[in-house]
Amino acid sequence: MSSGKIASQTAHAAVSLYIKAKSNPIFFIEIDTWVNTGQAKIVLKGLDENSLIDFETKASDANLISQTVRDAGRTQVEPGALTCLGIFGKISEIDKITSHLNLL
Amino acid sequence: MSSGKIASQTAHAAVSLYIKAKSNPIFFIEIDTWVNTGQAKIVLKGLDENSLIDFETKASDANLISQTVRDAGRTQVEPGALTCLGIFGKISEIDKITSHLNLL
């Protein structure tokens, strides 16, 4: 994917996670704090679709919010391709799942 | 900027624009429609800070919502660097401002 395509997939995950968190009583204060303290994001390089699905399961097991992005496939990737996984929560919790990945 | 850095700046603009639009009576129905119809985003390559500021002015003059992103500068760019401009609104209106730019 081009830088622009990666950016749009990441933005999709971020907006969707924000909406999910705002509608979840467990997270809606935490998400406002996140917005008001700089919206920290860490973008990591995934390996393949299966590993993203595995991370999604682990995030769910850890009671974190996650959001997969599947692309319509009009450009650059096949329709329905899993391009991005977003996870929202405490960094210490997310690190348990993704700390072995490199920055993108 | 790396692809990951570009992605995080773009996601920042997208989340901030979403929040702005949801709190604006002129746009809050339009933003829900956008969310429910696939959240289309077009990521374009800007030229420099001055051109982004110029686009921001034009977006404001056209009554569109826009959001600049200035980076804290902990990695890759100088503190306060203007890295990204997001614009929300009808594609036909945004095209009047940015249609000469290439996809990133």
Side-chain angles (χ1 to χ4, degrees), chain A residues 17 25 33 81 100:
Chain A
L17 272 179
T33 301
H100 62 294

Short mmCIF file of all heavy atoms in Angstrom, two decimals, chain A residues 17 25 33 81 100:
data_model
loop_
_atom_site.label_atom_id
_atom_site.label_comp_id
_atom_site.label_asym_id
_atom_site.label_seq_id
_atom_site.Cartn_x
_atom_site.Cartn_y
_atom_site.Cartn_z
N LEU A 17 -12.60 3.50 16.25
CA LEU A 17 -12.30 3.23 17.66
C LEU A 17 -12.82 4.34 18.56
O LEU A 17 -13.35 4.08 19.65
CB LEU A 17 -10.78 3.11 17.87
CG LEU A 17 -10.16 1.74 17.67
CD1 LEU A 17 -8.66 1.83 17.90
CD2 LEU A 17 -10.76 0.69 18.60
N PRO A 25 -19.60 2.63 28.10
CA PRO A 25 -19.49 3.24 29.44
C PRO A 25 -18.14 2.98 30.11
O PRO A 25 -17.70 3.76 30.95
CB PRO A 25 -20.61 2.56 30.23
CG PRO A 25 -21.57 2.08 29.21
CD PRO A 25 -20.77 1.74 27.99
N THR A 33 -10.20 11.74 27.89
CA THR A 33 -8.86 12.05 28.43
C THR A 33 -7.82 11.93 27.32
O THR A 33 -6.93 12.79 27.19
CB THR A 33 -8.52 11.10 29.59
OG1 THR A 33 -9.51 11.24 30.59
CG2 THR A 33 -7.14 11.42 30.17
N ALA A 81 -9.84 -7.09 1.90
CA ALA A 81 -8.55 -7.32 2.55
C ALA A 81 -8.51 -6.64 3.92
O ALA A 81 -8.96 -5.51 4.07
CB ALA A 81 -7.41 -6.78 1.68
N HIS A 100 6.26 -6.55 20.55
CA HIS A 100 7.31 -7.18 19.73
C HIS A 100 7.31 -6.64 18.30
O HIS A 100 8.21 -6.96 17.52
CB HIS A 100 7.10 -8.68 19.70
CG HIS A 100 5.80 -9.11 19.09
ND1 HIS A 100 4.57 -8.84 19.66
CD2 HIS A 100 5.53 -9.76 17.93
CE1 HIS A 100 3.61 -9.32 18.91
NE2 HIS A 100 4.16 -9.89 17.85
#
